Amino acid sequence: MSNLSRLKTKISAADPSILNELPTLLEIIDALLTSKPIPADLADRLDAEGAQQGVSLWNISTSLRPSLDSSSENYRVFAFLRLTGYLLIEAGMEPKPNVEVTKTASSLAGCDELDYAERLLMRAAKFEEVLSKSQDASLERSKAASIVSYFSTRMEMEWRRENESVAYHMLGKASDNALLCQLSSEDIELLASKTLDIGKSILKAVSPEASKDINSQPGQPGPEAALEWLQRALLLVETASKGGTQNASLRRATLRGLARAHFQHSRNNQSSLDSAEETITELLADPEMKPEEIQQLRWMHLSILKRRKVSNERLEAAFKAITDNVSFNEMNVTDILQEIGVLADNRPLVSALFKIFLERAIDSENNSGQPFVTRILTAHMFILMSAPDEAEALDSTRASLKVISKNPAFTLDKIAATACQSLLFQQGGRCFQTKHYLQAADWFKLSADSVFEASSEANLSKCLRKTALCYIQAGKYALASDAIAKCPGSEAATRYVSFLCAAHQGLEDDAIQAIADMATSPDFDRKMLLLATKLAHEHKMRSLLLSILEKLLLTLQSSAALETEVEAMTLVRCMVRVIVELLNEPNAEMQSSSSRYFHPTYTNWWLFFHSHLAQKSASLITKDVSWLWRIVYNTAIEGCKSWDAFKVAELFSLAHELMLLYDRTTVATSENELEHYSGLALFSSICCRVFGLRNIGENLDSTEVRKTLRNDIRNFREKALPRLSQTQGNTTKLGSLVNLSFVLEVEQVCCLKQWGDLQRIMEASLDYRKDVRPPR
């Protein structure tokens, strides 16, 4: 061609306009192949020496061949350049047997220009016939090379035309021993390379991925055909190595393809697995293998072992060899996780593999695997969530978490910890819904493991609370107490669960304390008290119930709504009834500590009632206070039969205080009647304490009680004397009480050995008798 430098520049620079030269090349080729005259407009573009131009085109194409991809459009230009060069050489020189024609045909076949390749091979067939008949001994080596090149090119052609059997027949002709012994090692290796390419193409077509392709054609060659091609390729490589040189990379590529072929063929013949494993063992022993090639062989070895269904121990060893040499990146981690996922039905093996991979990620060099720990752990959890055996899944999860916890240098970050925690929490929720409470408790307990310490305190508390609730549902109250004791923070929900644990175990004091703590929590909700009331009532824990009712009453003190008033008084009535039931308990301990029940309660009532007095809404509670002092007074009278004297004294004192409160809240009342009962209540409280002191004897406590009692007796007289002078009825009874008060005071003074006060008391008694003595 006239402007070879321009064409060469375009090819060297991969100029897209090079494709514009293709029609020109095709016109020249068609003219040369058909022996037609070259058009005049093309003839002037050819130099006089066509053969020299052909050599130049051939050399250009040869120098550019390694830089071109056979699948690109530029490769077609290369092939046609080579064809044009060859035809120009042929037109300008005497044809002699050579291999250029087959090389050119091979280039055309490489870009699927089969028609041109076929036309060129028809010429090559003539050369092959001439060479076969030639008796020139000097041409033996070139003759053999040309014949083998011809048959190998025919082999490529037939393979591309999907005539696999004809192509294999051509391979047989090309690999004839009589021809091979005349060839150089390079020529044999070229034939082996072509054979390897065809074998790999067949192998790729029969792979599981290719079988899913909707465009795959039926009747294609199977694994047996791929195996035959690759075995012939290996035989050719070994033949070439007898010449003294060996292409190690070609041999390794052939052995890799052969191992894959044996593996594919094992679907029909299990014995092929032995051959595949032997081939891989041979490759692994090659010291020149690159690390990435060795890793690929390890994967292949693992696939072979899986198909052979070997023991879990051998699979673990093969998998460990892979993970020990893996480079941590997204693609490699994904491949390993997918491989483990395929084995999901073999739960023990999957757990062992995840443990191996997790350990490798945590202990990886330069911590390159640590960013993938969360992904590995969550992948393991996802598989475990679908496990039919919950116990096995729990054990596997514990083992994975233990792997992380035993490396103090590594901790999960907050996001990772929360993600893993959520998965475990959800699994616990599923078990809880199906009423498998102990299994649910185990999952919730795992979600609060120490490896998740980076998670928020609220999450840890929630997990431990759910653990305790599951144990409560299962009746394991001691375990529930242990779980809730580990719960951080002071949330109201945590205190409520503590209350449940104590209540179910009958630990009433602990339950009362939990209620008190709950009521002081910042996130306290009175609905919790309503739920607690029900549980306390069901378990007949009156002291606990009273404590809960007190807390409920306190929550109502800040509100002035009418509905709140009604609810508050209802609570007060309930509390009174509970106290009465408590005081009727035959238990001696309750009898001796009655003040613990109604003194705190009375304080709350007092605050509640006086808040209404301050708000000038006393009329709303008048009726309830009247009911209250009467019930307390009557209860005290009933208690005189069998209760402890001090307990009864406290009840009478309470009744007296309530009467005074009632007097402040009512407008219309019988003043004489109220004063009468108020005085009786106060005097009865004094008498009960006197009787109680007579029973306990003298001690340090009794001394203090007597001093207080003496002051109360004086207060009684100070209140009674003015009433005595104004009272129309009940004079005799009230006067008798005043007389008795002098006697009781003298008794206390004597016990206290305050002898100096006796004369004053007696003089006061005489003065009183003079004042109240009726006239004669």
Side-chain angles (χ1 to χ4, degrees):
M1 190 174 288
S2 61
N3 199 348
L4 292 177
S5 60
R6 174 174 58 84
L7 189 60
K8 182 177 179 180
T9 301
K10 287 187 176 183
I11 295 175
S12 300
D15 190 343
S17 64
I18 190 176
L19 300 178
N20 298 331
E21 303 294 337
L22 196 55
T24 301
L25 290 174
L26 291 177
E27 289 186 58
I28 297 173
I29 291 169
D30 286 336
L32 292 174
L33 285 176
T34 57
S35 301
K36 294 179 181 179
I38 298 176
D41 58 337
L42 295 176
D44 59 3
R45 300 177 64 186
L46 297 174
D47 295 333
E49 298 179 359
Q52 184 178 356
Q53 297 293 343
V55 171
S56 297
L57 288 175
W58 181 272
N59 291 338
I60 291 172
S61 65
T62 301
S63 64
L64 296 177
R65 169 66 182 89
S67 64
L68 297 175
D69 183 6
S70 61
S71 62
S72 66
E73 187 67 20
N74 288 343
Y75 187 86
R76 295 182 70 239
V77 177
F78 150 76
F80 284 121
L81 276 174
R82 172 164 282 195
L83 176 57
T84 305
Y86 170 76
L87 293 176
L88 287 172
I89 293 171
E90 185 185 52
M93 300 176 65
E94 184 70 22
K96 292 181 180 181
N98 54 58
V99 297
E100 279 73 11
V101 61
T102 54
K103 290 181 179 179
T104 304
S106 177
S107 300
L108 292 167
C111 61
D112 289 330
E113 292 291 344
L114 301 182
D115 290 336
Y116 284 110
E118 179 65 26
R119 291 162 70 180
L120 201 58
L121 282 178
M122 289 176 64
R123 296 190 176 203
K126 296 177 183 179
F127 289 139
E128 191 272 335
E129 185 178 354
V130 172
L131 289 172
S132 299
K133 294 178 181 180
S134 174
Q135 300 298 322
D136 190 349
S138 63
L139 299 177
E140 286 298 324
R141 183 172 292 275
S142 61
K143 180 177 73 173
S146 298
I147 293 173
V148 170
S149 179
Y150 168 75
F151 283 126
S152 66
T153 304
R154 293 292 307 179
M155 175 185 72
E156 288 183 275
M157 284 280 299
E158 297 302 331
W159 166 246
R160 291 186 176 276
R161 287 178 172 174
E162 299 182 357
N163 295 327
E164 187 270 335
S165 58
V166 177
Y168 192 76
H169 177 69
M170 292 298 170
L171 172 62
K173 287 182 172 292
S175 57
D176 184 82
N177 289 331
L179 295 174
L180 293 180
C181 65
Q182 299 293 329
L183 297 182
S184 65
S185 297
E186 291 77 7
D187 290 335
I188 298 175
E189 287 173 354
L190 178 60
L191 177 60
S193 178
K194 292 182 178 181
T195 306
L196 174 62
D197 289 340
I198 293 176
K200 288 164 63 176
S201 299
I202 298 174
L203 192 61
K204 184 178 180 180
V206 299
S207 65
E209 293 78 11
S211 63
K212 299 176 183 178
D213 187 359
I214 60 174
N215 297 319
S216 59
Q217 299 295 326
Q220 291 180 340
E224 297 83 358
L227 190 59
E228 291 174 354
W229 281 92
L230 291 167
Q231 286 173 337
R232 293 295 290 269
L234 181 61
L235 183 61
L236 288 170
V237 170
E238 292 176 347
T239 301
S241 65
K242 295 177 182 179
T245 60
Q246 181 177 356
N247 190 333
S249 62
L250 179 61
R251 177 180 176 80
R252 287 195 295 269
T254 305
L255 286 173
R256 285 197 302 269
L258 192 59
R260 286 193 292 269
H262 280 303
F263 179 72
Q264 294 289 351
H265 187 248
S266 66
R267 295 179 178 178
N268 304 324
N269 187 349
Q270 285 289 321
S271 62
S272 292
L273 289 174
D274 295 330
S275 301
E277 192 166 4
E278 291 173 2
T279 304
I280 290 177
T281 302
E282 181 180 351
L283 282 168
L284 290 173
D286 189 344
E288 297 183 6
M289 289 286 291
K290 297 179 180 179
E292 57 271 16
E293 293 176 337
I294 295 177
Q295 191 73 341
Q296 291 176 356
L297 292 174
R298 293 191 184 103
W299 277 110
M300 194 181 302
H301 187 218
L302 179 62
S303 299
I304 292 171
L305 294 178
K306 282 164 51 181
R307 186 165 289 183
R308 293 183 70 173
K309 298 180 179 179
V310 299
S311 64
N312 287 356
E313 289 74 15
R314 289 196 63 187
L315 288 174
E316 288 178 27
F319 184 82
K320 190 174 187 303
I322 293 173
T323 56
D324 286 347
N325 297 275
V326 70
S327 296
F328 280 95
N329 55 53
E330 289 289 342
M331 184 176 66
N332 289 341
V333 171
T334 299
D335 290 342
I336 293 177
L337 293 180
Q338 287 178 346
E339 187 67 26
I340 298 177
V342 173
L343 302 169
D345 292 337
N346 190 343
R347 302 291 177 181
L349 177 61
V350 166
S351 297
L353 297 185
F354 267 115
K355 183 180 178 183
I356 292 172
F357 195 26
L358 203 56
E359 289 174 342
R360 174 72 177 90
I362 294 176
D363 299 330
S364 57
E365 296 180 0
N366 301 321
N367 299 328
S368 60
Q370 292 188 1
F372 300 96
V373 169
T374 303
R375 185 177 175 189
I376 298 169
L377 184 59
T378 53
H380 188 197
M381 289 180 180
F382 273 120
I383 292 178
L384 291 175
M385 298 305 141
S386 59
D389 188 347
E390 289 287 343
E392 183 180 339
L394 284 164
D395 291 339
S396 298
T397 306
R398 289 192 190 97
S400 294
L401 297 182
K402 187 176 180 180
V403 169
I404 298 175
S405 63
K406 97 184 156 171
N407 189 329
F410 173 78
T411 55
L412 292 172
D413 58 36
K414 185 173 182 179
I415 295 177
T418 304
C420 297
Q421 216 175 31
S422 298
L423 288 176
L424 297 174
F425 194 87
Q426 290 170 9
Q427 183 66 11
R430 283 189 283 269
C431 292
F432 189 87
Q433 289 176 353
T434 56
K435 298 184 179 180
H436 295 105
Y437 298 120
L438 289 178
Q439 292 176 352
D442 288 337
W443 285 112
F444 287 129
K445 188 176 181 180
L446 280 179
S447 67
D449 193 273
S450 59
V451 300
F452 305 126
E453 61 184 6
S455 179
S456 66
E457 186 177 277
N459 282 343
L460 291 174
S461 296
K462 180 176 71 173
C463 296
L464 288 170
R465 284 197 300 270
K466 290 294 288 186
T467 303
L469 288 173
C470 291
Y471 282 134
I472 289 173
Q473 291 290 342
K476 306 293 184 179
Y477 304 121
L479 293 176
S481 297
D482 292 340
I484 203 62
K486 300 174 183 177
C487 201
S490 57
E491 298 169 279
T494 301
R495 303 306 181 192
Y496 179 75
V497 177
S498 298
F499 153 74
L500 292 178
C501 296
H504 281 289
Q505 294 181 87
L507 304 175
E508 198 164 8
D509 290 342
D510 292 344
I512 292 172
Q513 183 60 48
I515 289 294
D517 294 339
M518 181 178 71
T520 58
S521 299
D523 57 339
F524 167 68
D525 186 347
R526 69 187 304 268
K527 292 180 181 178
M528 297 178 180
L529 289 177
L530 297 176
L531 296 173
T533 302
K534 180 181 179 182
L535 181 63
H537 179 69
E538 290 175 352
H539 285 70
K540 297 182 179 180
M541 294 182 174
R542 296 187 181 90
S543 297
L544 174 60
L545 180 58
L546 181 60
S547 176
I548 297 170
L549 293 174
E550 289 174 3
K551 301 302 179 185
L552 278 172
L553 183 61
L554 288 174
T555 62
L556 299 175
Q557 288 182 357
S558 59
S559 177
L562 181 60
E563 295 81 2
T564 302
E565 307 298 339
V566 174
E567 184 177 353
M569 290 312 306
T570 303
L571 287 174
V572 170
R573 290 174 179 266
C574 292
M575 293 164 71
V576 170
R577 290 190 174 95
V578 171
I579 292 174
V580 172
E581 290 179 1
L582 280 171
L583 295 175
N584 281 314
E585 288 286 344
N587 186 287
E589 181 180 354
M590 290 187 177
Q591 296 275 344
S592 62
S593 58
S594 59
S595 60
R596 64 176 282 196
Y597 301 117
F598 61 79
H599 268 316
T601 304
Y602 169 66
T603 302
N604 292 330
W605 297 345
W606 191 253
L607 292 174
F608 174 72
F609 292 146
H610 277 266
S611 67
H612 286 281
L613 291 174
Q615 297 170 10
K616 298 181 180 180
S617 57
S619 59
L620 296 175
I621 61 171
T622 300
K623 183 178 180 181
D624 297 285
V625 177
S626 175
W627 174 86
L628 191 57
W629 78 256
R630 295 174 191 277
I631 194 70
V632 173
Y633 184 81
N634 292 332
T635 303
I637 292 174
E638 289 294 325
C640 291
K641 299 177 181 178
S642 57
W643 292 353
D644 178 78
F646 288 104
K647 183 199 312 184
V648 178
E650 290 173 348
L651 284 177
F652 277 123
S653 296
L654 177 58
H656 173 70
E657 294 292 335
L658 289 171
M659 291 178 195
L660 295 179
L661 180 63
Y662 175 69
D663 186 47
R664 295 175 60 187
T665 60
T666 186
V667 177
T669 182
S670 176
E671 183 176 350
N672 293 335
E673 180 184 11
L674 185 61
E675 289 183 350
H676 170 71
Y677 284 110
S678 176
L680 286 179
L682 184 56
F683 186 79
S684 298
S685 173
I686 293 172
C687 291
C688 288
R689 279 179 284 172
V690 171
F691 299 150
L693 287 170
R694 291 174 181 173
N695 293 330
I696 65 174
E698 297 300 325
N699 53 46
L700 182 61
D701 292 336
S702 65
T703 300
E704 296 299 322
V705 173
R706 291 182 187 280
K707 290 179 180 180
T708 303
L709 180 58
R710 183 184 175 189
N711 292 331
D712 289 344
I713 293 173
R714 291 175 182 175
N715 292 335
F716 166 72
R717 281 204 302 270
E718 290 175 359
K719 293 179 181 180
L721 290 176
R723 294 176 187 173
L724 190 61
S725 62
Q726 301 172 4
T727 303
Q728 300 296 327
N730 295 320
T731 303
T732 304
K733 182 178 295 186
L734 184 57
S736 300
L737 296 181
V738 174
N739 282 328
L740 286 174
S741 70
F742 286 111
V743 177
L744 296 177
E745 185 179 5
V746 169
E747 179 181 352
Q748 306 312 311
V749 169
C750 292
C751 292
L752 292 172
K753 298 181 180 181
Q754 297 175 348
W755 311 112
D757 292 339
L758 277 177
Q759 183 177 359
R760 183 186 56 78
I761 297 172
M762 295 180 66
E763 290 175 355
S765 175
L766 293 174
D767 293 340
Y768 165 72
R769 291 178 180 275
K770 292 178 181 179
D771 294 338
V772 299
R773 182 179 300 167
R776 295 187 180 182

